[in-house]
């Protein structure tokens, strides 16, 4: 009986931790986008979000709820370590402090989202030379057959 | 020189495709295996060389080597330029997919005219090479200005195309240097485009 109880407790803990809320923060200047998920898979929709500015742990800078996709965004007024509290009011709550760097501008953000130039160059050359090889093989074979 | 999508009228882009696609087919059919490698290598060269930019008069220009491609590939230059522009549009956003027909027409025309000059008898190699390199840039620049004018942007782009005189001169010199080098190390390379 005791063993079964322990097993159930471990199982419950495993299930609960599997549904813990994870936060990822993306810089989208001038906004910061907070994405919330359950264990990195399903979004956490309509969860309550509290945002605390650096150095002001007791006063909410902003509050609100995530949208149906588990996304919440706000515009920070300073850089530093911002604290986020996400609570879905169904037993899942996460508190995280995440650094926000305001010196990163929109152009830098856009560049980081794109494929780097060197990678594009290597990809293009690989495709061109690869297709050349394939076409050469095909034409050589065709040429041998006709002779 | 690469015209992006959304600048020229759709009708003009479709009309350019109607010319470029049959040209790709007609000038690219019945390729011999040994032509394939040369076409692939020159496609790779033009793909990379377009990334070498020079700031000029508030804008930036880049090399194309369309004249040299015409000299070395002859009529096969057109399908090679089409394929290269396709990859440049997909990977570097140089030009666009809708304007691919227009860009291929412009640059392909420059390349083919360069080839025509190269085949003219009785002229020295250096003069032909400089002319081919020069026309390989200026013909696309003038065609681009005409297309802008046709799409209602006025005739100002004809003056803008004058910027390309500098690029065309550089390309002419580079083409002449490349031709002189190939004449010395691999003269048989020119037999291909003389046919």
């Amino acid at each position: 009986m005791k063993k079964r109880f322990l097993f159930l407790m471990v199982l419950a803990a495993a299930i609960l931790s599997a549904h813990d809320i994870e936060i990822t923060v993306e810089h989208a200047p001038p906004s910061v986008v907070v994405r919330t998920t359950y264990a990195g898979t399903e979004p956490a929709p309509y969860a309550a979000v509290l945002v605390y500015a650096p150095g002001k742990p007791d006063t909410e800078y902003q509050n609100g709820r995530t949208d149906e996709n588990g996304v919440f965004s706000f515009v920070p007024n300073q850089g530093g370590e911002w604290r986020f509290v996400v609570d879905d009011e169904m037993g899942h709550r996460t508190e995280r402090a995440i650094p926000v760097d305001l010196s990163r501008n929109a152009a830098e953000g856009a560049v980081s989202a794109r494929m780097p130039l060197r990678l594009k160059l290597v990809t293009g050359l690989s495709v061109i030379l690869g297709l050349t090889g394939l076409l050469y093989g095909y034409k050589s074979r065709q040429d041998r057959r006709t002779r | 020189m690469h015209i992006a999508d959304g600048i020229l009228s759709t009708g003009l882009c479709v009309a350019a495709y109607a010319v470029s696609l049959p040209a790709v087919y007609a000038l690219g059919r019945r390729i011999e295996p040994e032509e394939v490698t040369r076409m692939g290598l020159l496609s790779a060269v033009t793909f990379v060389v377009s990334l070498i930019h020079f700031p000029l008069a508030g804008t930036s220009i880049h090399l194309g080597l369309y004249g040299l491609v015409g000299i070395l590939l002859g009529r096969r230059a057109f399908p090679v330029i089409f394929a290269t522009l396709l990859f440049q549009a997909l990977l570097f956003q140089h030009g666009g997919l809708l304007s691919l027909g227009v860009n291929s027409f412009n640059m392909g025309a420059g390349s083919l005219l360069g080839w025509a000059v190269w085949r003219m008898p009785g002229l020295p190699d250096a003069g032909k090479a400089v002319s081919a390199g020069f026309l390989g840039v200026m013909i696309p620049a003038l065609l681009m200005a005409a297309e802008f004018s046709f799409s209602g942007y006025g005739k100002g782009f004809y003056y803008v195309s004058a910027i390309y005189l500098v690029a065309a001169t550089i390309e002419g010199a580079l083409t002449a240097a490349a031709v002189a080098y190939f004449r010395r190390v691999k003269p048989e390379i020119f037999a291909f485009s003389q046919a």
Side-chain angles (χ1 to χ4, degrees):
Chain A
M1 183 70 186
K2 201 173 177 180
K3 278 184 180 175
R4 186 177 292 176
F5 178 72
L6 273 172
F7 172 73
L8 285 173
M9 287 295 286
V10 169
L11 184 66
I15 291 168
L16 283 174
S17 65
H19 283 84
D20 200 8
I21 295 176
E22 281 188 17
I23 302 175
T24 56
V25 172
E26 295 172 17
H27 295 263
S31 304
V32 163
V33 178
V34 181
R35 292 185 189 277
T36 62
T37 54
Y38 291 114
T41 52
E42 292 296 309
Y46 312 116
V49 181
L50 304 177
V51 180
Y52 296 90
K56 293 179 181 171
D58 302 316
T59 311
E60 291 167 23
Y61 177 76
Q62 191 169 334
N63 59 42
R65 286 187 180 275
T66 59
D67 64 14
E68 67 172 358
N69 297 313
V71 178
F72 174 86
S73 70
F74 75 103
V75 179
N77 62 351
Q78 58 182 300
E81 201 155 79
W82 288 70
R83 193 161 58 90
F84 303 93
V85 179
V86 182
D87 189 347
D88 72 352
E89 298 172 342
M90 288 185 292
H92 306 113
R93 185 177 185 276
T94 295
E95 193 170 328
R96 291 269 304 276
I98 297 174
V100 171
D101 182 6
L102 290 186
S103 64
R104 291 175 63 180
N105 58 31
E108 285 170 345
V111 168
S112 65
R114 286 179 175 175
M115 193 194 276
L117 183 66
R118 276 185 197 169
L119 189 57
K120 286 180 181 178
L121 189 62
V122 171
T123 306
L125 283 176
S126 306
V127 172
I128 289 172
L129 295 176
L131 286 175
T132 302
L134 283 174
L135 191 60
Y136 178 77
Y138 172 73
K139 282 286 170 188
S140 301
R141 201 170 164 185
Q142 208 177 34
D143 202 38
R144 277 198 302 273
R145 276 185 187 169
T146 51
R147 280 177 189 173
Chain B
M1 185 138 354
H2 294 64
I3 302 170
D5 281 348
I7 293 176
L8 300 180
S9 66
T10 309
L12 187 62
C13 292
V14 172
Y17 259 118
V19 175
S20 295
L21 286 178
V24 168
Y25 174 74
L27 301 173
R29 63 203 288 250
R30 292 186 186 138
I31 303 172
E32 295 297 320
E34 51 274 18
E35 292 178 85
V36 174
T37 47
R38 180 181 299 211
M39 289 168 72
L41 283 173
L42 280 164
S43 176
V45 168
T46 48
F47 178 77
V48 173
V49 91
S50 73
L51 295 176
I52 303 171
H53 286 259
F54 303 98
L56 183 75
T59 182
S60 89
I61 56 172
H62 62 83
L63 295 174
L65 298 183
Y66 304 117
L68 184 64
V69 170
I71 290 172
L72 295 177
L73 289 180
R75 65 194 175 102
R76 305 296 191 204
F78 198 96
V80 164
I81 286 171
F82 181 89
T84 308
L85 290 174
L86 173 65
F87 289 118
Q88 286 175 348
L90 290 173
L91 286 164
F92 300 137
Q93 286 75 52
H94 286 187
L97 291 179
L98 185 62
S99 56
L100 178 63
V102 178
N103 288 327
S104 304
F105 175 79
N106 294 352
M107 294 165 207
S111 199
L112 291 178
L113 202 67
W115 174 49
V117 169
W118 177 250
R119 295 185 73 188
M120 285 169 73
L123 292 171
D125 267 7
K128 288 193 287 188
V130 168
S131 305
F134 186 86
L135 289 172
V137 173
M138 280 318 290
I139 294 298
L142 288 170
L143 284 171
M144 182 180 71
E147 286 147 5
F148 272 96
S149 178
F150 185 78
S151 293
Y153 289 95
K155 298 193 185 302
F157 279 91
Y158 285 106
Y159 299 105
V160 174
S161 66
I163 292 171
Y164 286 97
L165 281 170
V166 178
T169 307
I170 294 169
E171 287 239 355
L174 276 175
T175 306
V179 164
Y181 175 75
F182 287 129
R183 271 278 183 235
R184 203 172 69 239
V185 299
K186 199 173 173 62
E188 66 272 19
I189 201 170
F190 298 106
F192 180 80
S193 59
Q194 292 289 359

